[in-house]
Amino acid sequence: MTMEKFYSMVGGSFEKTLSRLPSEAMIRKFILKFPADPTFGQLKAALPGGDETAFRAAHTLKGVAQNLGLDRLYESAAALTEDLRGPRAMTHPELWEKVQKDYAEVLAAISELEAGA
């Protein structure tokens, strides 16, 4: 799979990401490391309490997604981050559902990228 196809699958722009990161090889390297990032798990664990940890995890996920050009995940994580800002308990559970959906789509696309599909 090409990086262009990967980015079309996750709602991002390879060209924009390439303008931030110096090479396709570096982008691929960081994309393939994304599933090992603990932020999503930290967010999932912290959400029921709606404390500062949940806000920080949502904010970190938003930043990682933005830096890697995972625009759809970035947008949903940004909306969740704002819902948790304060920090406070989540008031719109559908925002978390969207983050989970977008995250799963990114992981599925990464699996295809790794498999060379």
Side-chain angles (χ1 to χ4, degrees):
M1 169 190 310
T2 66
M3 292 305 293
E4 289 85 356
K5 181 168 182 187
F6 169 81
Y7 275 95
S8 72
M9 290 176 70
V10 298
S13 168
F14 176 65
E15 292 77 25
K16 286 181 185 176
T17 305
L18 193 56
S19 72
R20 284 190 302 277
L21 297 172
S23 70
E24 180 173 344
M26 181 174 279
I27 294 169
R28 181 178 286 270
K29 174 184 169 184
F30 286 126
I31 289 293
L32 294 177
K33 287 184 173 194
F34 180 78
D37 184 286
T39 306
F40 182 82
Q42 292 166 350
L43 175 59
K44 186 176 182 177
L47 265 180
D51 61 9
E52 180 69 23
T53 304
F55 171 77
R56 278 195 322 266
H59 192 272
T60 299
L61 182 61
K62 174 184 87 164
V64 170
Q66 183 178 33
N67 286 332
L68 293 177
L70 308 171
D71 295 345
R72 195 175 300 134
L73 179 58
Y74 160 72
E75 290 167 7
S76 61
L80 181 61
T81 299
E82 291 310 309
D83 193 48
L84 295 169
R85 188 173 295 280
R88 62 177 184 253
M90 180 174 45
T91 58
H92 295 88
E94 68 276 6
L95 297 174
W96 170 235
E97 292 168 11
K98 178 76 169 110
V99 168
Q100 291 178 93
K101 177 184 173 288
D102 295 340
Y103 184 81
E105 287 176 356
V106 168
L107 294 184
I110 290 171
S111 289
E112 287 189 38
L113 183 64
E114 285 179 310

